[in-house]
Amino acid sequence: MSRSYSEVKYAGLRLLLCLLLISSIDRPALATDEQGDVVFSPKLQKAYFEIQKLRLPAARELIDDERAINADNPFIAYLDSYADLHYLLIAEDRSRYKIFTQQQDKRLDQVGKLSEKSPYKRLFQADIRLHSAFAKLKFGNEVSGSWEIIKAYRLLEDNRKKFPPFTPTLKSLGLLHVLIGSIPENYTWIAKILGLKGNIAQGIRELREVVKEEPFFRQEAELIDLLLHAYTLQLSPEQQVRIRQWPKEQPDNLLLHFFATTVLMKENRSEEASHFLADAPVGKEYMPFPFLHYLRGEIALQNGDYDESFASYARFLKQYAGFNYIKDSYFKMFMCRWLAGRDQEATDYILKVTQKGSTIIEADQFAERVAKEFSEEKISPRQKVLYKARYATDGGYFQKAWELMKTVSEKTFATTYEKAEFNYRMARILQKSGRMNDCVPFYDRSIALGQTDAGAGGFAASSALQMGYIYQKKADNQKAIMYFKKAMSFKKHEYKNSIDNKARAALTELGQ
């Protein structure tokens, strides 16, 4: 069972962390709830919007002002939980997390005093439990966090039955149906035993029902939909336009600038992402967000500006008190020196990779593995060109990556792992440059090498996933299904969870 909870964690973790992003748009004012139990006062509405912009100090002041007037208003307990979640997901503050977990039961009790006639009772209870779940999963309490998701699901299903016309229930229920649908096939029996039903398509339909029918939550549901497509499915051209529009419509919304930056970086558009990052609002009214320095480091590394990248990672580590991306940042600082030919300086930072931080996320796991391999002299200077090409490709600097790769061939490399990576990098550059027919032989070669050497399985699995996407776009569903299943067949590589999750989502779209 412990492994199943870990799978549940990963399948939904990025989406769970994305609750941080899902309510980011100013909306029309709400009147007092018809049941007379919830008071959506102007100050609390403004606090809600301030939280969504990461203006937490101002939000908490507004909440406290309202608390002095009507401390029993359940919306206050809801907003306290909501603000804490945003803070914890960004700051990764263990001491505040402990306080948060102690306060959640009291907040549930306050919301539990709502009238049974109020559709907000179970919605607020479910969302507070989801806040707890997201925080617990973030801080490594997988079993407890997963049970919070189960409890939230049951509350939302009950609310849907008791109040069928109350569309806001689908805001959270649709997200959970996507998470349930993301559970790998081997573990779906667990969801069935627990009474959890749902799939990705179902969740998307429910979110779009909110967009269509519920004016107040319309933009929130639309943003959830965008996030799901950005991190699990694939963005449509219309969605890509929308992602760029939102920060321009709300220049004071730090969360939307962060969202646009990360999505564009994921789409290999780091040059464009850098503009949204540069325009991100700053000031004492916003909560500290040192991760923005990390993103600046990533973009500079991709562009080959190693000194600027090194300085940005150093600023991130100096200001950041969390536990994720520590190993990855030291690894990138190593890379900044190593790729610049400053090998002696680089050694100091590769040692810190094994000494600092955690290995919860894939980036830190990869950094830890490579650091150990480097100490065992398994990393060759031959691989410098592959790393440079990888970072350039990640940033969308395809011509630069192509010029680097033209200086080598498969014969340049000695190990199967290096050969598999060479073919994967070549294929990725060609694919991103629109040369679809040219990239296919390189992907197939990487897959073949990965089948002969388990150490190269990560590149083989990634290659199979991309081949699946290529044939899916060609409407050759038979080949697409074959490649998506092949992507899931490779075992024990560092990107196993994310690749399996994406392949499973694609197979679901194809009716598998």
Side-chain angles (χ1 to χ4, degrees):
M1 288 291 286
S2 61
R3 185 178 178 189
S4 69
Y5 283 116
S6 179
E7 294 287 358
V8 169
K9 172 192 172 183
Y10 178 76
L13 184 53
R14 283 190 177 172
L15 304 178
L16 293 174
L17 297 182
C18 288
L19 186 70
L20 173 63
L21 308 168
I22 67 175
S23 300
S24 318
I25 310 299
D26 288 352
R27 304 183 177 89
L30 279 174
T32 301
D33 176 43
E34 291 181 357
Q35 308 302 330
D37 293 332
V38 181
V39 179
F40 293 94
S41 70
K43 280 190 175 182
L44 292 183
Q45 289 181 65
K46 186 175 181 181
Y48 186 56
F49 302 143
E50 295 289 78
I51 293 168
Q52 296 154 13
K53 295 176 181 179
L54 296 184
R55 296 164 64 100
L56 297 191
R60 293 189 191 280
E61 184 175 343
L62 290 163
I63 295 168
D64 288 340
D65 286 348
E66 195 72 18
R67 199 189 321 271
I69 300 170
N70 181 11
D72 294 330
N73 183 359
F75 195 34
I76 292 176
Y78 177 88
L79 290 178
D80 282 337
S81 175
Y82 192 54
D84 284 350
L85 174 68
H86 281 70
Y87 174 80
L88 290 171
L89 293 182
I90 292 173
E92 296 184 354
D93 185 329
R94 293 187 185 277
S95 61
R96 288 282 291 274
Y97 168 68
K98 184 177 180 180
I99 295 170
F100 168 81
T101 56
Q102 293 169 347
Q103 291 174 328
Q104 288 301 82
D105 285 342
K106 181 180 178 181
R107 291 164 180 169
L108 285 169
D109 288 342
Q110 287 179 279
V111 171
K113 294 175 182 177
L114 276 166
S115 167
E116 284 292 323
K117 296 180 181 180
S118 173
Y120 286 101
K121 179 175 183 175
R122 288 170 182 80
L123 176 63
F124 281 6
Q125 286 176 322
D127 278 358
I128 288 174
R129 289 203 175 277
L130 286 177
H131 299 164
S132 295
F134 304 158
K136 288 178 178 180
L137 290 169
K138 175 75 168 181
F139 284 80
N141 297 324
E142 300 173 5
V143 173
S144 181
S146 297
W147 279 112
E148 293 284 9
I149 292 174
I150 293 165
K151 291 173 183 176
Y153 174 87
R154 290 171 179 167
L155 283 164
L156 292 165
E157 284 284 6
D158 192 30
N159 212 41
R160 184 64 171 158
K161 291 175 183 176
K162 290 181 181 295
F163 305 101
F166 188 64
T167 314
T169 302
L170 298 180
K171 169 182 70 71
S172 301
L173 189 59
L175 177 59
L176 288 187
H177 282 154
V178 172
L179 297 184
I180 295 164
S182 298
I183 297 172
E185 188 175 12
N186 290 347
Y187 301 103
T188 54
W189 61 272
I190 299 169
K192 291 178 181 178
I193 289 175
L194 295 172
L196 307 179
K197 299 178 181 179
N199 59 56
I200 293 171
Q202 176 188 3
I204 296 296
R205 285 196 304 270
E206 289 168 338
L207 290 167
R208 291 180 178 174
E209 183 178 340
V210 179
V211 172
K212 181 179 179 182
E213 303 291 343
E214 181 57 45
F216 181 76
F217 291 107
R218 177 175 297 149
Q219 293 182 91
E220 178 178 344
E222 183 186 0
L223 188 50
I224 299 173
D225 189 358
L226 282 173
L227 287 163
L228 295 174
H229 281 82
Y231 290 105
T232 301
L233 307 172
Q234 295 188 63
L235 289 166
S236 69
E238 294 78 15
Q239 288 174 320
Q240 292 186 18
V241 169
R242 188 65 177 134
I243 285 168
R244 292 165 170 81
Q245 286 177 340
W246 267 336
K248 295 175 183 178
E249 293 170 359
Q250 297 187 55
D252 66 338
N253 194 317
L254 175 55
L255 203 52
L256 285 181
H257 282 80
F258 169 71
F259 174 55
T261 299
T262 54
V263 171
L264 287 168
M265 289 178 69
K266 180 181 176 296
E267 295 290 310
N268 309 112
R269 296 180 179 273
S270 289
E271 191 67 30
E272 187 179 0
S274 67
H275 299 302
F276 287 99
L277 187 56
D279 291 339
V282 296
K284 62 182 180 181
E285 60 269 35
Y286 296 91
M287 73 165 289
F289 204 167
F291 194 72
L292 300 181
H293 292 307
Y294 174 89
L295 295 177
R296 293 184 181 99
E298 292 285 279
I299 293 172
L301 177 61
Q302 292 165 355
N303 199 25
D305 189 347
Y306 299 126
D307 287 340
E308 176 59 32
S309 177
F310 184 94
S312 293
Y313 289 122
R315 282 192 290 270
F316 166 67
L317 290 171
K318 183 177 180 179
Q319 297 178 19
Y320 182 60
F323 45 84
N324 288 318
Y325 293 100
I326 302 296
K327 290 182 181 294
D328 181 63
S329 293
Y330 280 119
F331 174 67
K332 298 292 178 52
M333 292 173 79
F334 157 77
M335 278 291 169
C336 288
R337 294 295 187 246
W338 191 57
L339 296 180
R342 298 161 68 174
D343 293 21
Q344 187 59 46
E345 293 177 60
T347 304
D348 295 337
Y349 294 96
I350 203 70
L351 292 174
K352 290 182 180 181
V353 174
T354 59
Q355 298 167 352
K356 308 281 187 178
S358 64
T359 53
I360 296 172
I361 61 171
E362 288 183 341
D364 289 329
Q365 293 168 8
F366 177 79
E368 176 90 352
R369 181 178 67 78
V370 176
K372 289 180 178 177
E373 290 178 355
F374 187 85
S375 67
E376 296 168 358
E377 299 184 349
K378 294 180 180 178
I379 303 298
S380 165
R382 293 186 301 269
Q383 291 175 263
K384 286 187 179 183
V385 67
L386 297 178
Y387 276 106
K388 288 180 178 180
R390 170 191 176 176
Y391 293 133
T393 304
D394 288 346
Y397 305 106
F398 303 128
Q399 186 59 37
K400 180 181 291 189
W402 178 245
E403 293 297 328
L404 286 164
M405 292 300 289
K406 284 198 304 183
T407 66
V408 293
S409 69
E410 183 179 315
K411 293 180 180 179
T412 305
F413 303 99
T415 69
T416 303
Y417 179 92
E418 292 173 354
K419 293 175 186 293
E421 181 174 5
F422 165 80
N423 283 280
Y424 174 74
R425 299 292 169 215
M426 286 290 289
R428 212 56 190 125
I429 295 166
L430 292 166
Q431 181 187 13
K432 287 292 183 179
S433 302
R435 298 168 62 180
M436 295 301 177
N437 292 334
D438 292 338
C439 76
V440 169
F442 289 102
Y443 276 138
D444 277 334
R445 175 63 175 159
S446 182
I447 293 168
L449 289 166
Q451 289 175 325
T452 64
D453 187 334
F459 296 118
S462 298
S463 296
L465 179 69
Q466 294 304 322
M467 288 288 281
Y469 287 141
I470 289 170
Y471 283 111
Q472 186 179 21
K473 287 182 179 179
K474 290 182 177 182
D476 189 340
N477 290 350
Q478 185 175 355
K479 282 189 176 180
I481 290 168
M482 179 193 73
Y483 276 108
F484 286 133
K485 288 183 176 179
K486 184 180 288 292
M488 297 171 68
S489 70
F490 292 93
K491 309 296 183 184
K492 296 182 179 180
H493 56 84
E494 62 267 25
Y495 299 114
K496 171 93 178 141
N497 287 331
S498 60
I499 289 173
D500 282 9
N501 191 40
K502 291 174 183 177
R504 169 51 49 198
L507 287 168
T508 299
E509 279 192 302
L510 293 169
Q512 294 296 299

